[in-house]
Amino acid sequence: MTSIFDSIVRDLREMPATKLVEVSRYIHSLHPSNENASRQRAAILATAGCMTGQEGEDFERAVRETADRIDAHE
């Protein structure tokens, strides 16, 4: 186990800062105590692919057309 850990640490020391940020996010998302990440992952899995291609395009178009408007009466 120690050799695996040491190998990973060596690889991390050679990575640029931008990659370390990506690695950090990934590692934290794997940690079982990170309930937010677990809930987000579950929400994405539950809703991924729930619209057909046309429905998705219609939804995107509707959001783009109305996203910059605020209607105080709604």
Side-chain angles (χ1 to χ4, degrees):
M1 180 73 165
T2 302
S3 63
I4 294 172
F5 183 76
D6 292 339
S7 172
I8 292 169
V9 170
R10 274 194 306 274
D11 290 343
L12 290 172
R13 289 177 200 259
E14 297 172 4
M15 287 186 176
T18 55
K19 290 292 183 185
L20 288 173
V21 170
E22 289 180 44
V23 169
S24 174
R25 287 182 183 148
Y26 179 71
I27 289 170
H28 290 291
S29 74
L30 293 175
H31 197 280
S33 69
N34 190 342
E35 291 181 27
N36 266 351
S38 296
R39 283 196 303 262
Q40 289 172 347
R41 190 169 29 258
I44 289 171
L45 290 174
T47 59
C50 66
M51 290 186 190
T52 66
Q54 186 61 47
E55 288 173 326
E57 291 169 12
D58 292 343
F59 178 77
E60 181 180 1
R61 187 172 23 269
V63 169
R64 288 182 190 275
E65 290 172 357
T66 61
D68 59 345
R69 293 191 328 226
I70 298 175
D71 189 348
H73 302 294
E74 287 188 25

mmCIF file of all heavy atoms in Angstrom, residues 29-69:
data_model
loop_
_atom_site.group_PDB
_atom_site.id
_atom_site.type_symbol
_atom_site.label_atom_id
_atom_site.label_comp_id
_atom_site.label_asym_id
_atom_site.label_seq_id
_atom_site.Cartn_x
_atom_site.Cartn_y
_atom_site.Cartn_z
ATOM 1 N N SER A 29 -14.414 14.286 -4.470
ATOM 2 C CA SER A 29 -15.719 13.776 -4.892
ATOM 3 C C SER A 29 -15.861 12.280 -4.586
ATOM 4 O O SER A 29 -16.969 11.784 -4.435
ATOM 5 C CB SER A 29 -15.948 14.020 -6.375
ATOM 6 O OG SER A 29 -15.182 13.139 -7.168
ATOM 7 N N LEU A 30 -14.754 11.577 -4.476
ATOM 8 C CA LEU A 30 -14.779 10.144 -4.181
ATOM 9 C C LEU A 30 -14.940 9.853 -2.698
ATOM 10 O O LEU A 30 -15.389 8.761 -2.331
ATOM 11 C CB LEU A 30 -13.481 9.482 -4.659
ATOM 12 C CG LEU A 30 -13.256 9.434 -6.157
ATOM 13 C CD1 LEU A 30 -11.869 8.853 -6.440
ATOM 14 C CD2 LEU A 30 -14.325 8.634 -6.843
ATOM 15 N N HIS A 31 -14.607 10.800 -1.881
ATOM 16 C CA HIS A 31 -14.635 10.578 -0.436
ATOM 17 C C HIS A 31 -16.064 10.340 0.029
ATOM 18 O O HIS A 31 -16.967 11.111 -0.286
ATOM 19 C CB HIS A 31 -14.026 11.778 0.289
ATOM 20 C CG HIS A 31 -13.650 11.469 1.691
ATOM 21 N ND1 HIS A 31 -14.566 11.447 2.708
ATOM 22 C CD2 HIS A 31 -12.459 11.142 2.244
ATOM 23 C CE1 HIS A 31 -13.956 11.137 3.827
ATOM 24 N NE2 HIS A 31 -12.682 10.942 3.583
ATOM 25 N N PRO A 32 -16.302 9.264 0.773
ATOM 26 C CA PRO A 32 -17.670 8.912 1.167
ATOM 27 C C PRO A 32 -18.363 9.953 2.041
ATOM 28 O O PRO A 32 -19.585 10.025 2.063
ATOM 29 C CB PRO A 32 -17.514 7.599 1.931
ATOM 30 C CG PRO A 32 -16.075 7.429 2.173
ATOM 31 C CD PRO A 32 -15.320 8.318 1.246
ATOM 32 N N SER A 33 -17.629 10.795 2.738
ATOM 33 C CA SER A 33 -18.261 11.783 3.599
ATOM 34 C C SER A 33 -18.703 13.015 2.818
ATOM 35 O O SER A 33 -19.360 13.882 3.369
ATOM 36 C CB SER A 33 -17.314 12.205 4.725
ATOM 37 O OG SER A 33 -16.233 12.947 4.198
ATOM 38 N N ASN A 34 -18.364 13.088 1.550
ATOM 39 C CA ASN A 34 -18.749 14.242 0.747
ATOM 40 C C ASN A 34 -20.173 14.029 0.238
ATOM 41 O O ASN A 34 -20.395 13.574 -0.873
ATOM 42 C CB ASN A 34 -17.772 14.448 -0.404
ATOM 43 C CG ASN A 34 -17.995 15.760 -1.109
ATOM 44 O OD1 ASN A 34 -19.055 16.375 -0.991
ATOM 45 N ND2 ASN A 34 -17.003 16.191 -1.856
ATOM 46 N N GLU A 35 -21.149 14.358 1.072
ATOM 47 C CA GLU A 35 -22.555 14.118 0.739
ATOM 48 C C GLU A 35 -23.023 14.973 -0.436
ATOM 49 O O GLU A 35 -23.845 14.532 -1.233
ATOM 50 C CB GLU A 35 -23.429 14.359 1.960
ATOM 51 C CG GLU A 35 -23.219 13.326 3.042
ATOM 52 C CD GLU A 35 -24.109 13.570 4.249
ATOM 53 O OE1 GLU A 35 -25.178 14.170 4.076
ATOM 54 O OE2 GLU A 35 -23.703 13.160 5.332
ATOM 55 N N ASN A 36 -22.522 16.191 -0.535
ATOM 56 C CA ASN A 36 -22.929 17.050 -1.654
ATOM 57 C C ASN A 36 -22.562 16.412 -2.984
ATOM 58 O O ASN A 36 -23.385 16.374 -3.903
ATOM 59 C CB ASN A 36 -22.271 18.428 -1.553
ATOM 60 C CG ASN A 36 -23.141 19.428 -0.863
ATOM 61 O OD1 ASN A 36 -24.305 19.173 -0.599
ATOM 62 N ND2 ASN A 36 -22.578 20.581 -0.572
ATOM 63 N N ALA A 37 -21.350 15.927 -3.086
ATOM 64 C CA ALA A 37 -20.917 15.306 -4.337
ATOM 65 C C ALA A 37 -21.758 14.080 -4.641
ATOM 66 O O ALA A 37 -22.137 13.848 -5.785
ATOM 67 C CB ALA A 37 -19.437 14.940 -4.270
ATOM 68 N N SER A 38 -22.075 13.309 -3.610
ATOM 69 C CA SER A 38 -22.895 12.120 -3.809
ATOM 70 C C SER A 38 -24.291 12.488 -4.293
ATOM 71 O O SER A 38 -24.839 11.862 -5.193
ATOM 72 C CB SER A 38 -23.000 11.322 -2.512
ATOM 73 O OG SER A 38 -21.740 10.849 -2.137
ATOM 74 N N ARG A 39 -24.868 13.530 -3.700
ATOM 75 C CA ARG A 39 -26.204 13.966 -4.121
ATOM 76 C C ARG A 39 -26.173 14.526 -5.535
ATOM 77 O O ARG A 39 -27.071 14.268 -6.330
ATOM 78 C CB ARG A 39 -26.752 15.011 -3.149
ATOM 79 C CG ARG A 39 -27.265 14.408 -1.862
ATOM 80 C CD ARG A 39 -28.127 15.387 -1.104
ATOM 81 N NE ARG A 39 -27.446 16.629 -0.798
ATOM 82 C CZ ARG A 39 -26.873 16.911 0.371
ATOM 83 N NH1 ARG A 39 -26.911 16.033 1.343
ATOM 84 N NH2 ARG A 39 -26.277 18.057 0.564
ATOM 85 N N GLN A 40 -25.128 15.298 -5.851
ATOM 86 C CA GLN A 40 -25.018 15.846 -7.203
ATOM 87 C C GLN A 40 -24.879 14.730 -8.230
ATOM 88 O O GLN A 40 -25.515 14.753 -9.284
ATOM 89 C CB GLN A 40 -23.818 16.791 -7.295
ATOM 90 C CG GLN A 40 -24.020 18.090 -6.548
ATOM 91 C CD GLN A 40 -22.758 18.919 -6.494
ATOM 92 O OE1 GLN A 40 -21.658 18.441 -6.797
ATOM 93 N NE2 GLN A 40 -22.895 20.167 -6.091
ATOM 94 N N ARG A 41 -24.051 13.765 -7.923
ATOM 95 C CA ARG A 41 -23.838 12.636 -8.835
ATOM 96 C C ARG A 41 -25.142 11.860 -9.029
ATOM 97 O O ARG A 41 -25.513 11.507 -10.144
ATOM 98 C CB ARG A 41 -22.728 11.731 -8.291
ATOM 99 C CG ARG A 41 -22.255 10.679 -9.245
ATOM 100 C CD ARG A 41 -20.978 9.951 -8.804
ATOM 101 N NE ARG A 41 -20.731 9.832 -7.386
ATOM 102 C CZ ARG A 41 -19.864 10.579 -6.683
ATOM 103 N NH1 ARG A 41 -19.180 11.522 -7.278
ATOM 104 N NH2 ARG A 41 -19.688 10.386 -5.390
ATOM 105 N N ALA A 42 -25.889 11.648 -7.945
ATOM 106 C CA ALA A 42 -27.158 10.937 -8.027
ATOM 107 C C ALA A 42 -28.169 11.720 -8.863
ATOM 108 O O ALA A 42 -28.912 11.141 -9.664
ATOM 109 C CB ALA A 42 -27.715 10.685 -6.635
ATOM 110 N N ALA A 43 -28.199 13.038 -8.702
ATOM 111 C CA ALA A 43 -29.123 13.871 -9.475
ATOM 112 C C ALA A 43 -28.787 13.825 -10.962
ATOM 113 O O ALA A 43 -29.678 13.720 -11.806
ATOM 114 C CB ALA A 43 -29.087 15.309 -8.969
ATOM 115 N N ILE A 44 -27.519 13.874 -11.268
ATOM 116 C CA ILE A 44 -27.108 13.809 -12.681
ATOM 117 C C ILE A 44 -27.471 12.454 -13.273
ATOM 118 O O ILE A 44 -28.016 12.374 -14.377
ATOM 119 C CB ILE A 44 -25.598 14.091 -12.817
ATOM 120 C CG1 ILE A 44 -25.337 15.573 -12.522
ATOM 121 C CG2 ILE A 44 -25.094 13.728 -14.211
ATOM 122 C CD1 ILE A 44 -23.878 15.936 -12.406
ATOM 123 N N LEU A 45 -27.192 11.388 -12.541
ATOM 124 C CA LEU A 45 -27.521 10.056 -13.045
ATOM 125 C C LEU A 45 -29.025 9.872 -13.212
ATOM 126 O O LEU A 45 -29.473 9.226 -14.156
ATOM 127 C CB LEU A 45 -26.961 8.982 -12.114
ATOM 128 C CG LEU A 45 -25.439 8.849 -12.106
ATOM 129 C CD1 LEU A 45 -24.984 7.860 -11.038
ATOM 130 C CD2 LEU A 45 -24.925 8.444 -13.471
ATOM 131 N N ALA A 46 -29.808 10.452 -12.314
ATOM 132 C CA ALA A 46 -31.259 10.293 -12.377
ATOM 133 C C ALA A 46 -31.875 11.078 -13.534
ATOM 134 O O ALA A 46 -32.911 10.683 -14.069
ATOM 135 C CB ALA A 46 -31.895 10.741 -11.060
ATOM 136 N N THR A 47 -31.234 12.167 -13.932
ATOM 137 C CA THR A 47 -31.843 13.020 -14.956
ATOM 138 C C THR A 47 -31.133 12.976 -16.305
ATOM 139 O O THR A 47 -31.669 13.483 -17.286
ATOM 140 C CB THR A 47 -31.888 14.484 -14.480
ATOM 141 O OG1 THR A 47 -30.546 14.925 -14.204
ATOM 142 C CG2 THR A 47 -32.746 14.628 -13.237
ATOM 143 N N ALA A 48 -29.981 12.387 -16.368
ATOM 144 C CA ALA A 48 -29.229 12.350 -17.626
ATOM 145 C C ALA A 48 -30.015 11.616 -18.698
ATOM 146 O O ALA A 48 -30.534 10.517 -18.476
ATOM 147 C CB ALA A 48 -27.877 11.670 -17.413
ATOM 148 N N GLY A 49 -30.154 12.248 -19.839
ATOM 149 C CA GLY A 49 -30.831 11.621 -20.960
ATOM 150 C C GLY A 49 -32.332 11.551 -20.829
ATOM 151 O O GLY A 49 -32.978 10.769 -21.512
ATOM 152 N N CYS A 50 -32.931 12.372 -19.962
ATOM 153 C CA CYS A 50 -34.378 12.275 -19.762
ATOM 154 C C CYS A 50 -35.158 13.044 -20.828
ATOM 155 O O CYS A 50 -36.372 12.899 -20.918
ATOM 156 C CB CYS A 50 -34.779 12.717 -18.362
ATOM 157 S SG CYS A 50 -34.486 14.439 -18.030
ATOM 158 N N MET A 51 -34.499 13.857 -21.639
ATOM 159 C CA MET A 51 -35.165 14.563 -22.741
ATOM 160 C C MET A 51 -34.672 14.005 -24.060
ATOM 161 O O MET A 51 -33.499 13.668 -24.197
ATOM 162 C CB MET A 51 -34.833 16.057 -22.696
ATOM 163 C CG MET A 51 -35.425 16.815 -21.577
ATOM 164 S SD MET A 51 -35.044 18.571 -21.807
ATOM 165 C CE MET A 51 -35.550 19.220 -20.257
ATOM 166 N N THR A 52 -35.580 13.945 -25.015
ATOM 167 C CA THR A 52 -35.159 13.553 -26.360
ATOM 168 C C THR A 52 -34.328 14.689 -26.940
ATOM 169 O O THR A 52 -34.312 15.801 -26.394
ATOM 170 C CB THR A 52 -36.373 13.304 -27.269
ATOM 171 O OG1 THR A 52 -37.059 14.551 -27.456
ATOM 172 C CG2 THR A 52 -37.307 12.262 -26.689
ATOM 173 N N GLY A 53 -33.684 14.440 -28.044
ATOM 174 C CA GLY A 53 -32.878 15.473 -28.687
ATOM 175 C C GLY A 53 -33.678 16.729 -28.981
ATOM 176 O O GLY A 53 -33.255 17.844 -28.692
ATOM 177 N N GLN A 54 -34.871 16.551 -29.549
ATOM 178 C CA GLN A 54 -35.710 17.700 -29.881
ATOM 179 C C GLN A 54 -36.184 18.429 -28.636
ATOM 180 O O GLN A 54 -36.201 19.646 -28.577
ATOM 181 C CB GLN A 54 -36.917 17.276 -30.728
ATOM 182 C CG GLN A 54 -37.757 18.440 -31.219
ATOM 183 C CD GLN A 54 -36.963 19.397 -32.116
ATOM 184 O OE1 GLN A 54 -36.264 18.955 -33.022
ATOM 185 N NE2 GLN A 54 -37.058 20.681 -31.832
ATOM 186 N N GLU A 55 -36.566 17.677 -27.595
ATOM 187 C CA GLU A 55 -36.994 18.300 -26.336
ATOM 188 C C GLU A 55 -35.858 19.111 -25.725
ATOM 189 O O GLU A 55 -36.075 20.228 -25.242
ATOM 190 C CB GLU A 55 -37.445 17.234 -25.334
ATOM 191 C CG GLU A 55 -38.770 16.590 -25.670
ATOM 192 C CD GLU A 55 -39.078 15.426 -24.739
ATOM 193 O OE1 GLU A 55 -38.136 14.724 -24.306
ATOM 194 O OE2 GLU A 55 -40.268 15.244 -24.457
ATOM 195 N N GLY A 56 -34.670 18.569 -25.774
ATOM 196 C CA GLY A 56 -33.508 19.277 -25.240
ATOM 197 C C GLY A 56 -33.227 20.551 -26.012
ATOM 198 O O GLY A 56 -32.925 21.593 -25.422
ATOM 199 N N GLU A 57 -33.326 20.486 -27.332
ATOM 200 C CA GLU A 57 -33.111 21.672 -28.160
ATOM 201 C C GLU A 57 -34.179 22.725 -27.892
ATOM 202 O O GLU A 57 -33.880 23.919 -27.787
ATOM 203 C CB GLU A 57 -33.099 21.286 -29.639
ATOM 204 C CG GLU A 57 -31.881 20.466 -30.034
ATOM 205 C CD GLU A 57 -32.005 19.872 -31.433
ATOM 206 O OE1 GLU A 57 -32.915 20.264 -32.188
ATOM 207 O OE2 GLU A 57 -31.172 19.011 -31.760
ATOM 208 N N ASP A 58 -35.435 22.296 -27.762
ATOM 209 C CA ASP A 58 -36.523 23.229 -27.454
ATOM 210 C C ASP A 58 -36.317 23.877 -26.090
ATOM 211 O O ASP A 58 -36.516 25.089 -25.928
ATOM 212 C CB ASP A 58 -37.878 22.517 -27.483
ATOM 213 C CG ASP A 58 -38.277 22.062 -28.878
ATOM 214 O OD1 ASP A 58 -37.686 22.554 -29.872
ATOM 215 O OD2 ASP A 58 -39.183 21.204 -28.973
ATOM 216 N N PHE A 59 -35.908 23.086 -25.102
ATOM 217 C CA PHE A 59 -35.668 23.609 -23.766
ATOM 218 C C PHE A 59 -34.529 24.621 -23.791
ATOM 219 O O PHE A 59 -34.634 25.719 -23.222
ATOM 220 C CB PHE A 59 -35.348 22.461 -22.808
ATOM 221 C CG PHE A 59 -35.036 22.912 -21.410
ATOM 222 C CD1 PHE A 59 -36.043 23.298 -20.554
ATOM 223 C CD2 PHE A 59 -33.725 22.962 -20.956
ATOM 224 C CE1 PHE A 59 -35.768 23.724 -19.258
ATOM 225 C CE2 PHE A 59 -33.431 23.382 -19.680
ATOM 226 C CZ PHE A 59 -34.459 23.763 -18.831
ATOM 227 N N GLU A 60 -33.431 24.284 -24.460
ATOM 228 C CA GLU A 60 -32.290 25.194 -24.542
ATOM 229 C C GLU A 60 -32.691 26.502 -25.213
ATOM 230 O O GLU A 60 -32.333 27.584 -24.752
ATOM 231 C CB GLU A 60 -31.137 24.540 -25.306
ATOM 232 C CG GLU A 60 -29.910 25.432 -25.403
ATOM 233 C CD GLU A 60 -28.765 24.789 -26.151
ATOM 234 O OE1 GLU A 60 -28.911 23.650 -26.634
ATOM 235 O OE2 GLU A 60 -27.720 25.450 -26.266
ATOM 236 N N ARG A 61 -33.448 26.407 -26.294
ATOM 237 C CA ARG A 61 -33.905 27.606 -27.012
ATOM 238 C C ARG A 61 -34.780 28.472 -26.097
ATOM 239 O O ARG A 61 -34.613 29.688 -26.016
ATOM 240 C CB ARG A 61 -34.660 27.217 -28.286
ATOM 241 C CG ARG A 61 -35.017 28.355 -29.180
ATOM 242 C CD ARG A 61 -35.600 27.943 -30.541
ATOM 243 N NE ARG A 61 -36.222 26.641 -30.662
ATOM 244 C CZ ARG A 61 -35.602 25.512 -31.034
ATOM 245 N NH1 ARG A 61 -34.318 25.522 -31.321
ATOM 246 N NH2 ARG A 61 -36.260 24.371 -31.125
ATOM 247 N N ALA A 62 -35.695 27.843 -25.352
ATOM 248 C CA ALA A 62 -36.577 28.589 -24.445
ATOM 249 C C ALA A 62 -35.769 29.279 -23.343
ATOM 250 O O ALA A 62 -36.044 30.440 -23.007
ATOM 251 C CB ALA A 62 -37.608 27.650 -23.826
ATOM 252 N N VAL A 63 -34.784 28.602 -22.818
ATOM 253 C CA VAL A 63 -33.956 29.206 -21.774
ATOM 254 C C VAL A 63 -33.177 30.383 -22.326
ATOM 255 O O VAL A 63 -33.127 31.458 -21.716
ATOM 256 C CB VAL A 63 -33.003 28.158 -21.149
ATOM 257 C CG1 VAL A 63 -31.957 28.818 -20.267
ATOM 258 C CG2 VAL A 63 -33.795 27.123 -20.367
ATOM 259 N N ARG A 64 -32.608 30.215 -23.502
ATOM 260 C CA ARG A 64 -31.835 31.304 -24.105
ATOM 261 C C ARG A 64 -32.716 32.521 -24.409
ATOM 262 O O ARG A 64 -32.285 33.655 -24.252
ATOM 263 C CB ARG A 64 -31.145 30.839 -25.379
ATOM 264 C CG ARG A 64 -29.991 29.907 -25.132
ATOM 265 C CD ARG A 64 -29.307 29.523 -26.450
ATOM 266 N NE ARG A 64 -28.368 28.470 -26.269
ATOM 267 C CZ ARG A 64 -27.108 28.637 -25.880
ATOM 268 N NH1 ARG A 64 -26.667 29.845 -25.629
ATOM 269 N NH2 ARG A 64 -26.304 27.612 -25.745
ATOM 270 N N GLU A 65 -33.948 32.281 -24.825
ATOM 271 C CA GLU A 65 -34.841 33.378 -25.183
ATOM 272 C C GLU A 65 -35.339 34.140 -23.961
ATOM 273 O O GLU A 65 -35.647 35.323 -24.055
ATOM 274 C CB GLU A 65 -36.034 32.849 -25.974
ATOM 275 C CG GLU A 65 -35.667 32.376 -27.371
ATOM 276 C CD GLU A 65 -36.816 31.665 -28.080
ATOM 277 O OE1 GLU A 65 -37.885 31.485 -27.472
ATOM 278 O OE2 GLU A 65 -36.617 31.273 -29.248
ATOM 279 N N THR A 66 -35.446 33.476 -22.817
ATOM 280 C CA THR A 66 -36.038 34.123 -21.644
ATOM 281 C C THR A 66 -35.071 34.338 -20.490
ATOM 282 O O THR A 66 -35.431 34.971 -19.503
ATOM 283 C CB THR A 66 -37.229 33.288 -21.112
ATOM 284 O OG1 THR A 66 -36.746 31.996 -20.740
ATOM 285 C CG2 THR A 66 -38.312 33.166 -22.160
ATOM 286 N N ALA A 67 -33.868 33.839 -20.595
ATOM 287 C CA ALA A 67 -32.927 33.886 -19.461
ATOM 288 C C ALA A 67 -32.550 35.305 -19.078
ATOM 289 O O ALA A 67 -32.267 35.576 -17.909
ATOM 290 C CB ALA A 67 -31.669 33.090 -19.777
ATOM 291 N N ASP A 68 -32.568 36.245 -20.017
ATOM 292 C CA ASP A 68 -32.137 37.598 -19.676
ATOM 293 C C ASP A 68 -33.303 38.507 -19.286
ATOM 294 O O ASP A 68 -33.115 39.676 -19.023
ATOM 295 C CB ASP A 68 -31.368 38.210 -20.835
ATOM 296 C CG ASP A 68 -32.178 38.292 -22.123
ATOM 297 O OD1 ASP A 68 -33.232 37.630 -22.195
ATOM 298 O OD2 ASP A 68 -31.779 39.025 -23.028
ATOM 299 N N ARG A 69 -34.511 37.959 -19.222
ATOM 300 C CA ARG A 69 -35.687 38.750 -18.852
ATOM 301 C C ARG A 69 -36.111 38.439 -17.428
ATOM 302 O O ARG A 69 -36.071 37.302 -16.985
ATOM 303 C CB ARG A 69 -36.865 38.429 -19.777
ATOM 304 C CG ARG A 69 -36.630 38.880 -21.195
ATOM 305 C CD ARG A 69 -37.900 38.784 -22.002
ATOM 306 N NE ARG A 69 -38.776 37.705 -21.603
ATOM 307 C CZ ARG A 69 -39.359 36.873 -22.435
ATOM 308 N NH1 ARG A 69 -39.175 36.998 -23.717
ATOM 309 N NH2 ARG A 69 -40.163 35.927 -22.005
#
